Amino acid sequence: MAVATALLAVLLVPPLLTPGADSGDGSQVRALRVLVPNAPGGGYDITARTAAKAMEDADLLRNAEVFNLPGAGGTVGLGRTVGERGNGKLIMSMGLGVVGAVYTNKSPNSLLDTTPIAKLIEEPDIVVVAKDSPYTSMQQLVDAWKANPGTVTVGGGSAPGGPDHLAPMLIAKAVGLQPKTVNYIPFDGGGELLASVLGGKVAFGVSGVGEYRDQIQAGTLRVLAVTSKDRIKGIDAPTLKESGVDVEFTNWRGIVAPPGITQTDRDKLVDLFARLQKTPQWADALQRNGWTDAFAPGDQFKTFLENENKRVATVLKDLGLA
């Protein structure tokens, strides 16, 4: 049924712009469709919509249409992107989660089948609980988790193999728990996870800091720890290592296009994101969302993706999850 639903979703998405659609003066991309392979409110969605608005505000684009095609940890959207061979007016927002989902969902398509455009950002994950949770520190959570690993549920905004899944699995291994004993509940993006954390349906959640800044500032979520090497400005929480958990973990996101696009279209897209990096609108977005600039264009991103595919496969095998 899940497969049938995913296929139906693909069929119901409106046709994409065709290759060779008007690109304004010929030297720049002026109209673009941005596919988000998870639900609204997730990290890919926030990154895509933030980048699209920054481009429009900076007059780099006249029209950017962002649409969601969720399913199977992002691999439904990946399949659609690969299927749009030659379409230089479509891009997909993606990241580490899709790399892992390709393995755990046994996807027939890989990110290596796409045209890498740019790595954009890095972002740490955060371990969060609702404001009325009994856990007020990472140590309290770890003690309860070790005592009853099956009943202390963890929710993540990515499918198995994604960053919000890998982070708690690495934490579990570091504190002496077998990853296979962890009761992980996947959600299609941080937006869907939020309601379960706030409603106490999961004991704790793991997601990107940019997805929950508003709730943290409003006091409805409590951050127990951040997965980065250093503390995050504006977030009153220690790192995992400061909390006695020897784990350091960073998520990343980027942009790919369909395979088979022309060199001209590829160069235009790479140049578009290179120009985005220099705008005050994007600088403001990085600061506002707690993102680290990790721009790597074209071939640099291609090499990075090749290495990430190998790294994630190794991590999943080491954890006994692949």
Side-chain angles (χ1 to χ4, degrees):
M1 183 177 293
V3 173
T5 302
L7 289 173
L8 182 61
V10 173
L11 293 173
L12 291 178
V13 172
L16 303 175
L17 293 177
T18 58
D22 179 49
S23 59
D25 62 7
S27 64
Q28 296 180 357
V29 179
R30 304 308 291 167
L32 199 60
R33 296 199 77 199
V34 187
L35 188 158
V36 176
N38 67 359
Y44 303 147
D45 187 68
I46 292 172
T47 304
R49 294 181 190 279
T50 300
K53 186 176 188 307
M55 287 177 178
E56 289 179 339
D57 290 348
D59 198 30
L60 300 180
L61 272 179
R62 290 199 186 101
N63 179 36
E65 180 189 353
V66 181
F67 68 100
N68 300 78
L69 182 58
T75 56
V76 171
L78 173 61
R80 181 62 183 264
T81 301
V82 172
E84 288 292 323
R85 172 173 287 275
N87 187 350
K89 303 300 177 285
L90 169 73
I91 57 175
M92 184 178 84
S93 175
M94 46 67 74
L96 177 57
V98 181
V99 178
V102 165
Y103 288 102
T104 57
N105 286 282
K106 295 180 172 56
S107 170
N109 302 115
S110 163
L111 285 165
L112 301 183
D113 298 324
T114 67
T115 301
I117 300 300
K119 179 185 175 189
L120 294 181
I121 63 163
E122 291 181 349
E123 178 188 42
D125 268 354
I126 50 177
V127 179
V128 295
V129 294
K131 65 177 181 179
D132 55 355
S133 167
Y135 309 121
T136 59
S137 71
M138 193 67 198
Q139 187 60 56
Q140 286 182 339
L141 173 60
V142 168
D143 289 344
W145 201 13
K146 291 172 72 174
N148 295 287
T151 59
V152 179
T153 54
V154 51
S158 59
D164 300 348
H165 173 246
L166 291 176
M169 295 302 164
L170 291 170
I171 293 170
K173 186 176 182 181
V175 301
L177 286 171
Q178 290 295 321
K180 287 186 177 181
T181 68
V182 174
N183 188 356
Y184 176 80
I185 302 175
F187 295 84
D188 198 355
E192 289 191 1
L193 169 64
L194 179 61
S196 290
V197 174
L198 294 176
K201 294 180 180 178
V202 293
F204 67 104
V206 176
S207 192
V209 62
E211 296 166 74
Y212 290 160
R213 273 195 177 267
D214 291 344
Q215 290 76 20
I216 294 166
Q217 291 172 356
T220 55
L221 283 179
R222 179 188 304 144
V223 184
L224 300 185
V226 300
T227 67
S228 50
K229 178 182 178 181
D230 301 310
R231 291 194 179 206
I232 301 171
K233 185 178 180 181
I235 303 294
D236 184 20
T239 66
L240 285 171
K241 287 195 171 184
E242 289 176 325
S243 305
V245 181
D246 190 16
V247 170
E248 208 177 280
F249 183 87
T250 303
N251 187 15
W252 58 267
R253 298 193 192 106
I255 299 292
V256 297
I261 65 173
T262 66
Q263 186 67 38
T264 298
D265 281 342
R266 175 187 178 276
D267 291 347
K268 286 180 184 179
L269 290 170
V270 172
D271 180 64
L272 174 65
F273 283 93
R275 287 184 289 125
L276 173 66
Q277 307 304 306
K278 301 175 183 178
T279 66
Q281 290 87 351
W282 185 244
D284 177 67
L286 293 173
Q287 182 176 8
R288 186 173 64 251
N289 289 285
W291 295 337
T292 299
D293 182 15
F295 184 62
D299 290 340
Q300 292 178 35
F301 186 37
K302 179 180 179 181
T303 300
F304 175 81
L305 277 179
E306 291 169 349
N307 292 333
E308 280 294 271
N309 267 279
K310 296 173 185 175
R311 185 181 72 87
V312 169
T314 300
V315 171
L316 288 172
K317 289 176 182 176
D318 287 348
L319 293 174
L321 301 170

